[in-house]
Amino acid sequence: MIECWRWFGPDDPTQLSDLPQVGATGVVTALHVFAPGVEWPRAAIAERKAMIAAAGLTWEVVESLPVSETIKTQGADMAAHLKAYKASLTSLAAEGIETVCYNFMPILDWTRTQTRAPQPHGGTAMLFDLPTFAAFDLHILARPGAAEDYPEVVRVQAGQVHAGLDDAARQQLTRTIIAGLPGANDGWTLDDVRARLATYDGITPAQLRQNLIDFLGEVAPHAQALGMRLCCHPDDPPFSLLGLPRVMSTTDDYAHVLEAVNLPSSGATLCTGSMGVDPFFDAVEFVRRLGPRIHFAHLRNTKRLPSPDPARASFLEAPHLEGDTDMVATLRALMAEETRRRAEGRADHTIPMRPDHGQELLTDRTRDSLPGYPLIGRMRGLAELRGIMAALA
Ligand code: DNO
């Protein structure tokens, strides 16, 4: 595996020059200043690449080259956005960057209800609590029709959660859900979300899946010709939120889309944390079925918590070896896939991975860090994963 680290660019509180000490050789980053739908200029890509190379590291994966809402909904400017997407791919390929992660989640990217929940060991972890999310949806966003999306027991608990929130707590929850997570929709307001929700009126899961297939039908052949690998990140969490369709939540979802656009350049990001929230998800089976098309791995762990809705779990971001995913079995499967690729003579036999997220531990709590992306917590995760990889090798 190529051991990578997500770095958010020059504003990231962790410096590139720190990364050789954490043990990573590869960098996962994006040009976050460009809005979805805007072409990334080749000069800006080259500048970022040089910055990374100057620290003795390699830019292994773009995460993300975001797919605009216009593309997801097939809105009016779609042709221009697709053109920009392909142009960005062309420039990335020209700079030698071949792996590009994206997601197809409507409106909200990854979602949590608490970013720093105190843990018994003294550090903090991120949390998704379904009744708290429902309190936001039903009582803060006050989305029309939201009540139909929750069983009564969830509505009752959501009412109790909401009654216990003061103004500051309501604002905090709103920020956490819609505007607070790195790489997501920094800075949206409730009204922005309401306006965007309206653009999904009438878009069923089947339609959104078709839109994803249409998007890939356009960009995957282009990526293939450039020798690139696109890898779709799963829905996080792997179920519908705010009444929106989500279509990349299960292994079957991936199998369907990768079959529909059956090119090596159309691949998957295996994210054990996102998909592992689903009690039926089996990471080893994912690798067995889709191994040749896995272009990137996010290794992190989640622990399901009791939830009043059996179809939508609450969960905690666990230490990397302590959640519901069997990390040893997952790495064994991924490393077997690498061996298979080597035997086949594939140039991309080594799969980039990164320790995804981490709990805030020790000095993380006194440093500035982005939610989910603390230095020490992720470094602990990477160290544990490296230990497993060394033992398996
Ligand atoms: C959260 C991340 C996501 C991910 C995007 C990929 O930490 O895993 O923000 O980067 O969904 O497009």
Side-chain angles (χ1 to χ4, degrees), residues 73 107 191-203 244:
T73 58
I107 306 183
D191 281 334
D192 292 332
V193 173
R194 291 186 185 109
R196 281 166 194 268
L197 281 173
T199 65
Y200 280 85
D201 282 349
I203 301 188
L244 293 163

Side-chain angles (χ1 to χ4, degrees), residues 5 11 45 47 99 110 117 125 161 192 204 209 273 296 299 306 341:
W5 188 264
D11 294 335
I45 297 168
E47 189 193 352
T99 308
W110 61 304
V161 170
D192 292 332
T204 60
R209 182 174 295 116
F296 186 26
L299 300 176
R341 290 183 188 187

Side-chain angles (χ1 to χ4, degrees), residues 6 63-64 102-103 105 109-110 233 298 354 357 373:
R6 190 175 195 182
E63 179 178 355
S64 298
Y102 68 97
N103 74 74
M105 286 177 259
D109 188 311
W110 61 304
H233 187 281
H298 281 186
R354 66 177 178 87
H357 302 177
Y373 288 88

